[in-house]
Amino acid sequence: MINAPRGTRDILPGQTSLWKHVIHTCEQAAVSLSFSEIRVPTFEDVALFQRSLGEGTDIIDKELFLVRGRHTEGEQYALRPEGTAGIVRAYIQHGMRTLPQPVRLYSILNLFRYERPQRGRYREHVQFDIEQFGSKDPSADAWVILTQWTALTRLGLGDAQLSLNSLGTTEEREFFREQLIAYFKPLQEELSEDSKRRLSSNPLRILDSKDPLDQPYLPNAPHLIDSLGNESRHHLDTVCTYLKTWGIAYTIDPFLVRGLDYYCQTCFEWSIPSEAGRPLALGGGGRYDSLLPALGGPDSGAVGAGLGLDRLVDLLEERGWQEPSSEVPKLAIVEEKSNKEAAAALIPQLVSQNIALWTDFSRGSLSSQLKAAAKEGCTYALFISEQGLQLKDLRRGAQQTVRLEEVKDAII
Ligand code: AMP
């Protein structure tokens, strides 16, 4: 027997309603804050991810799913491991810089990372992604945070905590990188293997390490936030003022980083405290002004963020989410063997009236069909008798004669 690939999951019929609820809530939050939907390909030229995420990141070095076509010698694609690169590409490729700015885009994306599968960490996962282009103003950062907050609170996850940090300007980040290397270099031998590697490739990521070997050295490491210049300080303070005005609680976390080279200024993360100790990350984002020009676009500012929908779904399931009872009445068409063809002939007209239908003519007796219909959640059953068409209310037991065109009104 062939099973689903490791790290992927099937979403079974009983689980899809929660998924739809989560996706719908995120989409409504985005639309209510002026984001428009964009859909981009599931795979892109591998160079796009290499250029936007940068060599030396885990996503590029270890986690890319590479795709090679049969007849595409020299071309190489990758399944998208994150959403920003493809959307930035589309913004540039379709000349969206000429539209009124800011351009606000959202997408629900399946993402692929070859990670070690565990609960909450899958090789295919889904994110609610938002990107806002064409503004370097701190209000744009705050707007993206507001959109994620709106989705989380509407989902009943208002207890999610927001951590915030600033990565400063590109120059401040570069200077900070040197400071970090100077601090960690003498400690190199004591650090975890990952951090040793990151010391040369991506030292900011060491601050983000959860490895116990690194923990003793983190509290005394330099904080970028302490040495921000006026411009960056003002940017962060203004974002914070917006959040306070909107009643969005946050804490400043000087250890929060986005390891990708193009990030600057604001970065943030949403998490839920968990009993296991380590908070569960739900999503995050930040400003990445220099990615657009690096990919051939305008230097006009960009900020984006993603929420991990698998984790939101798992969390809501753990908290006992109940599907609201369906308001749509479902009609069963039941019939004895001898009359099945006549009953089947009713179906097209009922379908065209947009009535939700259930049948199982393979069952022999009327009573066994009625029992199964009730189990399926049908509220009414329709059958043909000598007195004409009969409509039976399965909850109250009442029965009436109806004409076909009256059925819709009778069951509402
Ligand atoms: P990232 O794109 O790595 O910043 O992740 C954003 C959010 O997506 C995380 O906070 C998680 O909620 C979710 N996420 C990231 N990777 C995975 C994964 N492999 N499986 C499930 N959810 C993930």
Side-chain angles (χ1 to χ4, degrees), residues 340-355:
K340 278 179 184 163
E341 273 180 31
L346 304 173
I347 290 175
Q349 204 174 330
L350 294 166
V351 169
S352 70
Q353 288 179 50
N354 211 4
I355 298 173

Side-chain angles (χ1 to χ4, degrees), residues 332 334-335 366 370 381-385 388-392 399:
V334 292
E335 208 41 86
L366 204 63
L370 283 169
L382 194 67
F383 57 94
I384 302 167
S385 80
L389 204 52
Q390 300 297 304
L391 183 68
K392 188 175 168 79
Q399 190 172 314

Side-chain angles (χ1 to χ4, degrees), residues 16-201:
T16 47
S17 51
L18 175 53
W19 270 95
K20 280 205 254 186
H21 167 67
V22 168
I23 290 173
H24 181 71
T25 308
C26 290
E27 291 189 308
Q28 289 301 104
V31 168
S32 69
L33 289 162
S34 295
F35 287 81
S36 306
E37 186 179 16
I38 183 166
R39 297 189 186 188
V40 290
T42 311
F43 64 96
E44 298 268 3
D45 197 316
V46 72
L48 176 71
F49 299 119
Q50 283 163 343
R51 279 167 63 188
S52 57
L53 296 165
E55 310 274 356
T57 53
D58 282 353
I59 292 190
I60 292 297
D61 292 351
K62 302 188 200 161
E63 297 171 2
L64 269 193
F65 274 91
L66 296 173
V67 183
R68 204 190 292 274
R70 268 174 206 275
H71 307 291
T72 52
E73 217 24 57
E75 286 175 44
Q76 191 158 51
Y77 303 104
L79 297 182
R80 59 185 174 209
E82 56 90 52
T84 303
I87 297 177
V88 168
R89 182 210 35 78
Y91 176 83
I92 298 170
Q93 184 176 338
H94 300 285
M96 285 190 237
R97 66 192 294 173
T98 60
L99 301 175
Q101 307 291 310
V103 169
R104 299 184 171 115
L105 302 172
Y106 85 85
S107 201
I108 304 289
L109 301 165
N110 288 49
L111 304 180
F112 305 84
R113 297 177 190 176
Y114 198 81
E115 302 200 75
R116 200 166 62 79
Q118 49 189 292
R119 184 164 166 71
R121 194 162 285 287
Y122 308 103
R123 287 183 172 168
E124 178 179 15
H125 76 279
V126 184
Q127 280 193 23
F128 164 52
D129 187 279
I130 51 181
E131 310 290 342
Q132 175 161 321
F133 301 105
S135 170
K136 290 190 176 179
D137 194 79
S139 61
D141 314 33
W143 193 257
V144 165
I145 295 175
L146 173 69
T147 310
Q148 289 194 312
W149 176 83
T150 304
L152 288 168
T153 46
R154 286 187 188 171
L155 285 169
L157 298 172
D159 55 329
Q161 295 175 355
L162 173 66
S163 311
L164 203 62
N165 192 18
S166 172
L167 300 171
T169 59
T170 313
E171 296 73 35
E172 283 160 354
R173 232 183 100 131
E174 201 38 53
F175 179 66
F176 180 57
R177 198 185 132 95
E178 301 302 322
Q179 279 184 310
L180 276 183
I181 294 175
Y183 171 78
F184 282 117
K185 197 97 199 186
L187 306 167
Q188 196 170 2
E189 288 314 306
E190 322 298 326
L191 297 177
S192 67
E193 285 308 312
D194 271 345
S195 292
K196 277 187 193 134
R197 201 165 35 80
R198 285 174 179 149
L199 190 53
S200 51
S201 64

